[in-house]
Amino acid sequence: MTCHIAVIGTGPRGLAVLERLAVRLAERPAATPRTEIRAYDDHVPGPGRIWRPDQSPLLLMNTPAGDVTLFSGPADGGPARPGAGPTLAEWWQAEEPGVGGPAAYAPRALYGRYLEFVRDAVHRHLPDGVELHAVRARVERLRRAPGGGWTLRLADGGRYTADQVLLSTGHSRPRPGRTAREHAAFAAAHGLAYVPADSAADMALDTVAAGAPVGVIGLGMAFYDVMTLLTEGRGGRFVPDGGGSLRYVPGGHEPLLVAGSRSGVPMPARGVHQKRPDYVYRPRLFTLDRVTALRAHGQVDFDRDLLPWLRAELGLVHHATALGGDARFTEAAVRAALAAPGAPDLAVAHEAVRHGLDGAEPVDLTAWARPFADARFADRHAYGQALSAHLAQDLARSARGNVEDPVKAAVELLRVVRGVLRAAVDGSGLTPRSHQEDFLGRFAPVCAQLSSGPPVFRVQQVQALLRAGVLCVPGPGTRFGTDPDARCFTAWSPRVDEAPVRLAGLIDARVPAPDVRRDASPLVRDLYARSVLTSYTNGGFDTGGVAVVGADCRPVDAHGATVPGLYVAGIPLEGPRWFTQVGSGRAGAVWSDFTRDADAVARSLAEAVSARSARSAPVAA
């Protein structure tokens, strides 16, 4: 008797479940049945599409290598195996001595090779009676098998029947929305370039002509990827200018980049990494206990009930850093905040003033992320000067580091408290209006803008391109449109008094949001059409994420019933959960949500194997 498990999609999330499943199966009684696991991916099993090793080495991760791991436990001197293995930095240094390090940002292709290493380590150290087959194939249909379980239908006509199935399909390619269809049609009608949103490694950037002005929608992480591929990727070079900055030497094949977003500001650099991988910050005010107590009384209003406490926690770090790490301030501010539950952020700021920080005010994340929200500019040159000054200030803060600079220390905390935020938001913790408007509409974009930025040198490259005239940012609230008479795309800012820039092409450099209702995958489309997968709703707010129940994320069908033998992991859950885009565990003794989520699914899969053994065991006479 064999228990069959299928994992569909084997990027980091699927691989993390496999790593924990191997650990869980090793703990089972020896009498449990033989287990066969098949891991399917239509790209390289392990890295998947996003992290595949054959992409440009210019594309980088945005997390220091020392913080990244796919093993659920640290290396212990033995062979890398499920439950114990090196971080990305440790593996990198062993593979390429003298290159990289804990504070370095690894190429995504290199992370793909690390994921292959993890996959192979899991395969080599499976417990007795367990087989793992990595299969490069696309699963296009999933049907209930007559005898129980699920039958997978592959694109090449093959079939496989599994007792349990995990869907970890990762970043999707959603069907284009109305605006994207209109842009594509306009480009086709007028002979212009249009590149829809996707992973930068998969964008058709070769359709963008050298020297032509091309619009880039978005100034987030995908913008940096597009910028890199269209400059360094086309032979340009960034060289030191002798004054601590960079100078761009054109390669002759780059276009003129006209990039914009709501803020009009490229995502700021992360502070130079100064913390140990095992460093753990324990919140004092914005705590899991506080969130749990609030949710015990029903749904929560984010702006009213949670944001003041988050701002207070951020204020503790910001003001304490500005005061040189004054522990007396921190303790006094905590007492003051707890004594003023209606305005804890104001109480922390007042205490900072009392301890000598003149002019201290509550942390205003929106002002940090949208520094030009209320400003007007005479022309693009004036805005360019203001932007350059802002970038220089951001770089100075980043150079001081995420421990010593007050702003960078505070925004780093946004990464630390993601678990507390998830506890507040996941599973309809917020009222429908607050979930949609306050949290996803206002806070989440600001949080991503401030806390998910690139390494310092990427912002230095932006400065160099601005000085070289290769990059132009039209201004805050940049808008992109079409001009049928001029047969071109256009870009302009309503806060800059200058005519629109005419564009010969347009690139959508925004990461597509997961949405089960618009997923272009044949497999997901079919499961959604048959109501095996449904979209999660919080009251009247339809999130577009896959509806699931339980820590192991079992999908809920259109009748509200839990779908047996099926699990979902990772990015498709963005909706009932928040911030599922994380692509690795965090090094250190404390598991991150990424690893805890993987273990929850692995535990249920291992229990299903044991249950099958119990059902098939002979009955004593």
Side-chain angles (χ1 to χ4, degrees), residues 96 193 209 466:
E96 302 178 6
L466 288 168

Side-chain angles (χ1 to χ4, degrees), residues 59 193-196 199-210 214 216 222 225-231 234 253 255 257 506-509:
L59 300 175
Y194 175 67
V195 181
S199 167
D202 294 313
M203 287 182 171
L205 296 178
D206 56 348
T207 62
V208 177
V214 59
V216 183
D225 293 340
V226 169
M227 176 193 85
T228 300
L229 292 176
L230 291 177
T231 54
R234 292 194 174 190
H253 301 287
L257 302 175
L506 190 61
I507 302 167
D508 192 339

Side-chain angles (χ1 to χ4, degrees), residues 277-448:
D278 59 355
Y279 171 80
V280 177
Y281 176 87
R282 302 192 185 283
R284 304 288 302 276
L285 299 172
F286 187 66
T287 63
L288 187 59
D289 287 345
R290 183 175 303 283
V291 167
T292 302
L294 284 168
R295 289 194 60 168
H297 298 287
Q299 290 185 307
V300 176
D301 184 288
F302 182 77
D303 280 3
R304 182 193 65 206
D305 302 324
L306 293 170
L307 187 57
W309 289 103
L310 174 58
R311 283 159 52 104
E313 191 76 51
L314 294 169
L316 280 182
V317 172
H318 179 275
H319 303 331
T321 305
L323 289 167
D326 187 345
R328 293 173 301 173
F329 155 73
T330 299
E331 296 306 318
V334 168
R335 290 193 298 270
L338 294 175
D345 48 347
L346 285 170
V348 169
H350 291 160
E351 199 63 34
V353 172
R354 200 173 70 83
H355 279 73
L357 188 61
D358 293 340
E361 295 181 351
V363 167
D364 188 342
L365 294 175
T366 301
W368 288 357
R370 312 277 191 262
F372 303 116
D374 299 321
R376 293 200 65 86
F377 300 89
D379 52 29
R380 283 188 288 273
H381 176 73
Y383 180 68
Q385 289 183 314
L387 177 60
S388 294
H390 173 78
L391 295 176
Q393 182 184 54
D394 177 62
L395 287 171
R397 287 173 173 157
S398 296
R400 286 192 289 269
N402 62 6
V403 170
E404 297 181 7
D405 182 78
V407 171
K408 295 302 179 181
V411 297
E412 187 71 17
L413 184 61
L414 290 171
R415 303 170 67 88
V416 174
V417 299
R418 282 173 184 162
V420 182
L421 285 165
R422 285 186 62 182
V425 176
D426 291 0
S428 298
L430 304 180
T431 66
R433 185 211 59 78
S434 186
H435 189 186
Q436 183 175 16
E437 297 177 13
D438 300 342
F439 187 78
L440 294 179
R442 289 192 293 272
F443 173 78
V446 165
C447 181

